[in-house]
Amino acid sequence: MGKIRRYVIFIIGIFINSLGVSLITKADMGTSPISSIPYVLSLNLPFTLGNFTIFFSLFLILLQLLILKNNFKLEHILQIPVSIVFGYFIDICIALFKSVQPEWYVAKILCLLAGCIILGIGVYMEILADVVMLPGEAFVRAIVFQWKTEFGITKVVFDITMTVAAGILSFCFAKRLYGVREGTIVAAVLVGFIARIIGRHLSFLRQVLFGYE
């Protein structure tokens, strides 16, 4: 029963993640670092952000397989269905927010901040569930495991790499920086901070939900 509860919390968490990503995207100030490459591709090619999120997630899973080799376990395969569900959740949420089109800069900032808070809640719920990692975090974990790096530093380097790569792609497609803006930096800084704050104040939830921990 506890395992089922964990997966329910996880699924709710990734849906909340999707809401956050969609709101941040709707702010039209860039998107979160992990979504930046799929977002730039979706602006220039005939697939949705959700579609490209799935493609990019599968690519990250393949890289994990190459990095971990014999240490790539069956549980890592669970990232595949999770990635597919996450991708479709993103497209559903973007459709839900179809009428959200902030025009004033202040409205865009408010939309961005709301998205960051929601995404932070979703990230916290993933951590709370502790069953499967989304491919972005799992890829960072694979690097940490294989080369004994520090998770926090590796995550920052990964986010910067994703953002720079998205910027390069935008120049290749549009000859200008398009899809990567100040919102990408704000999301990179705020989301993890918000998730940690929530975790600190709601630490009792693990005991309430799972009892034995």
Side-chain angles (χ1 to χ4, degrees), residues 7-132:
Y7 276 101
V8 169
I9 291 169
F10 179 77
I11 293 297
I12 294 172
I14 63 172
F15 181 74
I16 292 173
N17 270 1
S18 306
L19 288 171
V21 169
S22 301
L23 264 182
I24 292 170
T25 303
K26 280 292 183 176
D28 195 27
M29 298 174 69
T31 188
S32 60
I34 188 60
S35 297
S36 57
I37 291 177
Y39 181 51
V40 170
L41 291 173
S42 72
L43 292 173
N44 295 281
L45 295 171
F47 290 96
T48 65
L49 175 57
N51 292 154
F52 275 119
T53 297
I54 294 171
F55 301 154
F56 187 59
S57 296
L58 295 177
F59 174 67
L60 290 177
I61 295 169
L62 175 61
L63 290 181
Q64 290 174 56
L65 176 61
L66 295 175
I67 291 170
L68 294 173
K69 298 175 184 176
N70 293 335
N71 291 311
F72 189 88
K73 299 176 182 177
L74 188 60
E75 65 190 56
H76 293 105
I77 300 297
L78 286 175
Q79 293 175 64
I80 296 175
V82 165
S83 300
I84 294 170
V85 170
F86 184 47
Y88 281 111
F89 275 173
I90 287 175
D91 281 346
I92 289 169
C93 290
I94 286 178
L96 288 175
F97 291 130
K98 186 176 181 180
S99 61
V100 177
Q101 301 289 344
E103 296 182 5
W104 293 354
Y105 193 74
V106 172
K108 290 176 183 286
I109 291 175
L110 291 175
C111 188
L112 170 67
L113 293 177
C116 287
I117 292 170
I118 292 170
L119 186 53
I121 293 170
V123 169
Y124 166 71
M125 291 184 70
E126 282 181 56
I127 295 170
L128 179 65
D130 191 26
V131 284
V132 187

